[in-house]
Amino acid sequence: MIVLRDCVSAGVFGEAYWFPLLFYRRGRKMKLLIADDELYMAEYIQKLVDWRDYGFDQVFVANGGSMARDILQEFVPELLITDIKMPRISGLDLSAF
Protein backbone atom coordinates (compact mmCIF):
# COMPACT_ATOMS: atom_id res chain seq x y z
CA MET A 1 0.00 0.00 0.00
CA ILE A 2 1.21 3.49 -0.85
CA VAL A 3 0.46 6.23 1.64
CA LEU A 4 0.64 9.85 0.53
CA ARG A 5 1.00 12.20 3.47
CA ASP A 6 0.10 15.87 3.49
CA CYS A 7 -1.17 15.87 -0.09
CA VAL A 8 -2.77 19.30 0.22
CA SER A 9 0.52 21.11 0.85
CA ALA A 10 2.12 19.25 -2.07
CA GLY A 11 -0.53 20.66 -4.42
CA VAL A 12 -2.76 17.88 -5.77
CA PHE A 13 -0.40 15.16 -4.63
CA GLY A 14 2.80 16.78 -5.92
CA GLU A 15 5.61 14.53 -7.13
CA ALA A 16 4.10 11.36 -5.66
CA TYR A 17 1.14 11.66 -8.05
CA TRP A 18 2.85 9.76 -10.88
CA PHE A 19 3.73 6.66 -8.82
CA PRO A 20 0.42 4.75 -9.18
CA LEU A 21 0.64 5.20 -12.95
CA LEU A 22 3.51 2.68 -13.01
CA PHE A 23 1.14 -0.08 -11.88
CA TYR A 24 -1.49 0.93 -14.42
CA ARG A 25 0.95 0.68 -17.32
CA ARG A 26 1.40 -2.97 -16.49
CA GLY A 27 -2.33 -3.45 -17.02
CA ARG A 28 -3.11 -3.77 -13.33
CA LYS A 29 -6.26 -2.08 -12.08
CA MET A 30 -6.08 -0.69 -8.56
CA LYS A 31 -8.29 0.23 -5.62
CA LEU A 32 -8.12 3.52 -3.73
CA LEU A 33 -9.40 4.33 -0.25
CA ILE A 34 -10.00 7.92 0.84
CA ALA A 35 -10.62 8.24 4.59
CA ASP A 36 -11.59 11.37 6.48
CA ASP A 37 -13.88 12.01 9.45
CA GLU A 38 -15.31 14.95 7.50
CA LEU A 39 -17.18 13.23 4.67
CA TYR A 40 -17.36 16.34 2.49
CA MET A 41 -13.55 16.45 2.31
CA ALA A 42 -13.24 12.78 1.32
CA GLU A 43 -15.87 13.25 -1.37
CA TYR A 44 -14.09 16.38 -2.60
CA ILE A 45 -10.81 14.46 -3.03
CA GLN A 46 -12.72 11.68 -4.80
CA LYS A 47 -14.14 14.18 -7.32
CA LEU A 48 -10.96 16.26 -7.62
CA VAL A 49 -9.18 13.75 -9.87
CA ASP A 50 -10.37 11.37 -12.57
CA TRP A 51 -8.95 8.33 -10.80
CA ARG A 52 -9.67 5.98 -13.73
CA ASP A 53 -7.05 7.84 -15.78
CA TYR A 54 -4.50 6.68 -13.23
CA GLY A 55 -5.58 3.06 -13.06
CA PHE A 56 -7.97 3.12 -10.12
CA ASP A 57 -11.09 1.22 -11.09
CA GLN A 58 -12.54 1.28 -7.57
CA VAL A 59 -12.54 4.33 -5.28
CA PHE A 60 -13.84 3.84 -1.74
CA VAL A 61 -14.73 6.70 0.60
CA ALA A 62 -14.77 6.11 4.35
CA ASN A 63 -16.32 8.43 6.89
CA GLY A 64 -13.88 7.81 9.74
CA GLY A 65 -11.22 5.38 10.83
CA SER A 66 -13.48 2.49 11.83
CA MET A 67 -15.15 2.35 8.43
CA ALA A 68 -11.77 2.72 6.71
CA ARG A 69 -10.34 -0.19 8.70
CA ASP A 70 -13.23 -2.40 7.58
CA ILE A 71 -12.68 -1.44 3.94
CA LEU A 72 -8.93 -2.07 4.27
CA GLN A 73 -9.62 -5.57 5.57
CA GLU A 74 -12.21 -6.46 2.95
CA PHE A 75 -10.87 -4.88 -0.25
CA VAL A 76 -7.09 -4.35 0.39
CA PRO A 77 -6.64 -1.13 -1.63
CA GLU A 78 -3.26 -0.26 -3.14
CA LEU A 79 -3.47 3.42 -2.16
CA LEU A 80 -4.70 5.05 1.05
CA ILE A 81 -5.31 8.77 1.30
CA THR A 82 -6.24 9.60 4.87
CA ASP A 83 -6.67 12.38 7.37
CA ILE A 84 -4.18 11.87 10.18
CA LYS A 85 -6.30 13.29 13.02
CA MET A 86 -9.53 11.31 13.30
CA PRO A 87 -11.39 10.11 16.39
CA ARG A 88 -10.87 6.52 17.61
CA ILE A 89 -8.61 5.29 14.77
CA SER A 90 -6.14 7.84 13.36
CA GLY A 91 -4.77 7.94 9.84
CA LEU A 92 -1.39 6.85 11.21
CA ASP A 93 -3.02 3.77 12.73
CA LEU A 94 -4.65 3.02 9.38
CA SER A 95 -1.38 3.33 7.49
CA ALA A 96 0.25 0.84 9.88
CA PHE A 97 -2.69 -1.59 9.48
Side-chain angles (χ1 to χ4, degrees), residues 50-88:
D50 186 3
W51 295 104
R52 290 191 183 274
D53 286 348
Y54 295 94
F56 294 100
D57 60 336
Q58 293 180 304
V59 178
F60 302 100
V61 174
N63 185 17
S66 299
M67 181 185 284
R69 184 195 59 220
D70 295 342
I71 293 172
L72 282 171
Q73 286 177 332
E74 185 173 347
F75 297 102
V76 191
E78 284 77 14
L79 178 63
L80 170 65
I81 299 174
T82 183
D83 183 6
I84 291 181
K85 292 184 180 181
M86 294 188 290
R88 285 173 281 198

Side-chain angles (χ1 to χ4, degrees), residues 8 11 16 23 30 36 39 43 52 67 78 84 87 90-91 97:
V8 175
F23 292 107
M30 297 179 294
D36 199 319
L39 186 59
E43 290 175 344
R52 290 191 183 274
M67 181 185 284
E78 284 77 14
I84 291 181
S90 73
F97 185 72

